[in-house]
Amino acid sequence: MEKGKISSLRELQQQMPRILEQHGKDPSLTLLALANPLLALEKIGYSFSPEARDEIEAHVRFGKEGAAKVEALKEQIFAATGKPFDLRDASALQQNLSAVLSKAAAPPDIKAGKPKADAVRAKATGADKLALPKEEVDAILHSVKQPVKVVGGKLTDPLEAFSSKHAVIVPLLEFRRLEATHPRLAEKSVAEALVKQKDKLPLRNISFRMNRANGKVK
């Protein structure tokens, strides 16, 4: 592993005892880590592969089980759309949804002797259905642009009205729910502004604890 380069959550966990020993008493760094641990680590010289960044952020936001669920939901969505993309990118999401919702299923490849396999795959991805009418596709794309609202512990998603229209909608609904109920890491400008206000904040003593099992860092 290249020094200062993090390629996975596991590599970060292995380095955390040394990082905390060297930098754990820096109040500004600790406050930055509370807002965005990735920014705090970058400040002391670490960098991340794109895969590690996504894995660590998901672990921080959703926890171990939640991160695994988010990954499973993404796989379901990408299986339906046919390719991976940034689900937080509204334009990319609309473009890929439009393509899959507007496209009728292709007939099974009988010559290749795979009709059964194709039918199973089509059913799993929702591609066994005919293309949706343009009006419905437009309505779904419009609902995707609307934010999920959480008021008084009750979640409302305008996309819910279309849950039965295509198999891709169900995992997308759950993904949107998780995104709406778990705060994102602070942007760099917000995190830095927070650090500048550290002397005005009520936070004084913050500690981190590393759990170990069989000599391994969790």
Side-chain angles (χ1 to χ4, degrees), residues 3-151:
K3 185 178 180 180
K5 181 76 171 182
I6 302 295
S7 300
S8 68
L9 171 64
R10 178 61 180 166
E11 289 183 0
L12 175 59
Q13 290 173 325
Q14 292 173 336
Q15 296 208 38
M16 279 307 297
R18 180 170 60 83
I19 293 172
L20 290 174
E21 182 180 357
Q22 294 179 348
H23 305 282
K25 295 182 180 180
D26 183 339
S28 295
L29 193 64
T30 299
L31 193 57
L32 181 59
L34 288 174
N36 188 325
L38 292 170
L39 291 177
L41 289 164
E42 287 175 338
K43 187 174 182 179
I44 58 177
Y46 284 87
S47 59
F48 306 89
S49 66
E51 296 78 12
R53 181 177 292 276
D54 289 343
E55 183 185 13
I56 294 167
E57 181 174 353
H59 190 84
V60 171
R61 290 186 63 199
F62 306 109
K64 182 179 180 180
E65 293 183 1
K69 180 160 190 175
V70 168
E71 188 61 29
L73 290 170
K74 289 168 67 174
E75 289 179 2
Q76 291 179 53
I77 295 168
F78 297 154
T81 58
K83 62 179 180 179
F85 58 95
D86 186 355
L87 286 169
R88 298 176 193 166
D89 184 329
S91 296
L93 177 58
Q94 287 183 296
Q95 181 180 354
N96 283 278
L97 274 183
S98 178
V100 74
L101 295 174
S102 303
K103 184 178 180 180
D109 187 356
I110 299 176
K111 291 183 180 180
K114 302 185 300 180
K116 185 175 181 180
D118 287 345
V120 171
R121 186 182 308 108
K123 186 174 182 179
T125 62
D128 60 330
K129 297 182 179 181
L130 296 176
L132 294 176
K134 184 179 183 304
E135 295 76 11
E136 286 191 349
V137 173
D138 290 343
I140 292 173
L141 297 181
H142 177 72
S143 70
V144 168
K145 292 191 297 184
Q146 309 305 311
V148 177
K149 296 182 179 180
V150 183
V151 180

